[in-house]
Amino acid sequence: MINKWRSLSFKLWLTIITAIILSVLFAYSLSQYYYKNLYVEKLKTDLVNEASLLGADYTGGEISEDFKQKVEWFNSKNDSEVFVVSNPRELSACLPFEINYDTLISEEERQMLLDGKAVEKEGYEKRFEKNIVAAIIPLIDEDRLEGIIYTYIPVDSITVLLKEFAAKWMAAVLLFLIVAIFFTTKWLKKLISPIKDIETAAHRVSEGNYDIQVQVRSHDEIGKLAKAFNDMANSI
């Protein structure tokens, strides 16, 4: 008898299951990559739009207390953190912590803001002591940078979403693997059964029983093999 671990059915089963597992792992890695990147890119776009809508209320000149209060109110109702800097060198009164304007943006980003462009950021922000995704919108009056609107979301919130996604994915994968193993095993048994019948019949022929016939169950290679065996037994 052929050892179970060396049998054709086990080799086929192992090959199929390995292919399924590798496919699942590849799909998972790809989905994680695209989910994170697409989500982060959409988040940046949303933050820019959010800050731009707030910035549309700025009518020029020195940033008023009324405008700051509107931003502060919006910040209290929104998931992201939003604040306004009323001067390139100092903080607005709406911030609950001290921060230096120079630490928020680089010279290159400052120039982008002076050109009227939004700045998108992703990574560790030293002053916040956390990884963030952020957008900065300039408040410009007559080519002067009167201030900025800074909005950001901690990357930790994205990580939580990715973990939730991973947990749901793994549960679905586990269920898929159980179903795949079940049907693969049944299919292989059905596939290998005719070969085992031919093996049994061959042993009987070797013992002198030439009347044995193998049932032809299909028209594929295995079916042709069964028919060839029957023809051989009849000729003998």
Side-chain angles (χ1 to χ4, degrees):
M1 293 295 292
I2 299 177
N3 186 290
K4 176 182 177 181
W5 308 109
R6 297 172 60 187
S7 67
L8 177 62
S9 60
F10 176 76
K11 290 177 181 178
L12 287 172
W13 184 89
L14 186 63
T15 300
I16 293 171
I17 296 303
T18 300
I20 291 173
I21 291 175
L22 290 176
S23 298
V24 167
L25 290 175
F26 176 76
Y28 173 75
S29 300
L30 200 62
S31 65
Q32 284 286 91
Y33 172 79
Y34 280 111
Y35 183 81
K36 180 180 179 182
N37 283 273
L38 290 176
Y39 180 78
V40 168
E41 288 306 311
K42 183 179 184 304
L43 192 58
K44 288 179 181 178
T45 301
D46 290 344
L47 289 174
V48 169
N49 292 336
E50 176 183 284
S52 297
L53 288 173
L54 288 171
D57 289 337
Y58 173 67
T59 56
E62 183 179 347
I63 299 174
S64 66
E65 288 300 319
D66 182 59
F67 181 80
K68 295 175 185 177
Q69 288 174 6
K70 285 182 179 179
V71 174
E72 185 176 5
W73 177 86
F74 182 84
N75 181 55
S76 67
K77 304 295 183 181
N78 199 43
D79 291 333
S80 62
E81 295 293 329
V82 186
F83 58 89
V84 59
V85 175
S86 60
N87 185 286
R89 296 298 172 187
E90 62 185 298
L91 251 196
S92 112
C94 72
L95 271 177
F97 44 82
E98 294 184 0
I99 194 165
N100 187 306
Y101 179 86
D102 289 335
T103 64
L104 287 175
I105 59 174
S106 65
E107 287 301 319
E108 181 181 354
E109 291 167 346
R110 177 182 171 80
Q111 188 57 52
M112 288 179 62
L113 293 170
L114 284 169
D115 292 337
K117 299 176 182 177
V119 172
E120 298 176 357
K121 303 183 73 172
E122 179 185 356
Y124 183 77
E125 185 60 57
K126 184 178 179 181
R127 293 298 300 179
F128 300 139
E129 296 183 346
K130 61 182 69 174
N131 289 303
I132 63 170
V133 175
I136 308 171
I137 294 296
L139 301 176
I140 298 177
D141 181 37
E142 296 182 357
D143 298 326
R144 293 196 309 273
L145 186 63
E146 293 291 338
I148 61 172
I149 295 177
Y150 196 115
T151 176
Y152 73 89
I153 289 181
V155 175
D156 291 344
S157 60
I158 301 175
T159 303
V160 170
L161 287 174
L162 289 175
K163 286 181 178 179
E164 291 178 358
F165 172 76
K168 292 178 181 178
W169 176 277
M170 293 309 295
V173 165
L174 182 60
L175 179 61
F176 173 75
L177 285 177
I178 292 173
V179 173
I181 289 172
F182 174 77
F183 282 105
T184 298
T185 302
K186 287 182 69 68
W187 177 74
L188 283 176
K189 283 183 178 180
K190 184 178 180 180
L191 179 68
I192 297 298
S193 179
I195 298 178
K196 289 185 176 180
D197 290 345
I198 295 173
E199 179 188 10
T200 301
H203 281 299
R204 291 186 180 180
V205 169
S206 68
E207 294 172 354
N209 184 358
Y210 304 119
D211 295 328
I212 189 73
Q213 291 288 298
V214 177
Q215 182 180 358
V216 180
R217 304 177 181 178
S218 64
H219 299 286
D220 55 14
E221 286 80 358
I222 295 177
K224 291 178 181 179
L225 177 62
K227 186 176 183 301
F229 179 86
N230 290 337
D231 292 340
M232 180 194 71
N234 290 332
S235 64
I236 293 176

